[in-house]
Amino acid sequence: MSPVEAISSVFRNYVNFSGRAPRSEYWWFTLFAVISQTVLTFVPFLGMIYALALFLPSLAVAVRRLHDTNRTGWWMLLYMVPALGSTTLAIVLVAILGLGGGDLSFADEGEWEMVAIFLGILFVVGAIVTLVTVIVVIVFLILPGTQGPNRFGPDPLQQQATGGFGDYPDPGHPYTPTPPTGSSSVAPHDSGLPESSSEPAPEERQFCSQCGMRLQPEARFCTECGTAV
């Protein structure tokens, strides 16, 4: 997709979390979102509204991009790990301050050193986990999509190339079979002609199908075995 096609496609599928999105659609829109949000950051109120407006389409196209790699969109929950880590750190700090009722003199210098070491370890572990989860999701978003249909839908690259659903006929256009080539051809059926019968004409009946007895042209029964002919 071109940048304009990608951006318009994302906004047309504003809250569409089904189907698949190629890499060009996701990354062109991501570049557009980063640049536009950076510019509007200098307009506080408008920038906040714009960021909220881009949240759903950004999430939807990311889920469709994961679908293109045959992965569930629930992998996007890994982006919540940084928020959970920050929340956990804040809860620990509030709990420590709450022990002394807001008075920091309730612990001596050695105890505060232990608290600082604990918080430092918690921060480092949280930063490592956050970095790993973000890298995992970004790698998934970079990977090429599966070729052909997968459990989330048809291949979007085949759709773009054929104008339909991959190797399947476009539902918006009637299917027209390819005419036969070569010397052999099938004559169209003429409804005005009588239906042909597999039973030969009476004058063509010469032998009994059971015993092989030679029959008269006008015979209806075999004179040897009595079989109806």
Side-chain angles (χ1 to χ4, degrees), residues 75 78-79 81-82 124-140:
W75 280 103
L78 290 179
Y79 272 139
V81 171
V124 171
V125 171
I128 293 175
V129 173
T130 298
L131 181 62
V132 171
T133 54
V134 170
I135 290 177
V136 167
V137 175
I138 291 178
V139 169
F140 286 166

Side-chain angles (χ1 to χ4, degrees), residues 41 62 110 140 153 164 169 192 211 214 217 227-228:
T41 299
F140 286 166
C211 64
R214 189 179 185 89
T227 302

Side-chain angles (χ1 to χ4, degrees), residues 83-100 104 106 112 114-123:
L84 294 176
S86 301
T87 303
T88 302
L89 187 60
I91 291 175
V92 171
L93 288 174
V94 171
I96 292 175
L97 293 176
L99 292 176
L104 299 181
F106 73 95
W112 278 117
M114 294 297 296
V115 171
I117 293 174
F118 172 74
L119 293 178
I121 294 175
L122 185 64
F123 176 79

Side-chain angles (χ1 to χ4, degrees), residues 34-116:
V34 170
I35 294 177
S36 58
Q37 282 187 314
T38 301
V39 172
L40 291 178
T41 299
F42 300 99
V43 185
F45 184 72
L46 182 60
M48 181 178 63
I49 295 178
Y50 184 72
L52 292 175
L54 285 185
F55 174 74
L56 284 178
S58 299
L59 181 60
V61 71
V63 169
R64 297 198 303 274
R65 178 80 268 275
L66 290 173
H67 288 175
D68 192 38
T69 64
N70 205 24
R71 291 176 174 85
T72 176
W74 291 109
W75 280 103
M76 290 302 298
L77 291 178
L78 290 179
Y79 272 139
M80 296 183 62
V81 171
L84 294 176
S86 301
T87 303
T88 302
L89 187 60
I91 291 175
V92 171
L93 288 174
V94 171
I96 292 175
L97 293 176
L99 292 176
D103 184 8
L104 299 181
S105 61
F106 73 95
D108 57 25
E109 184 176 350
E111 291 175 337
W112 278 117
E113 289 180 357
M114 294 297 296
V115 171

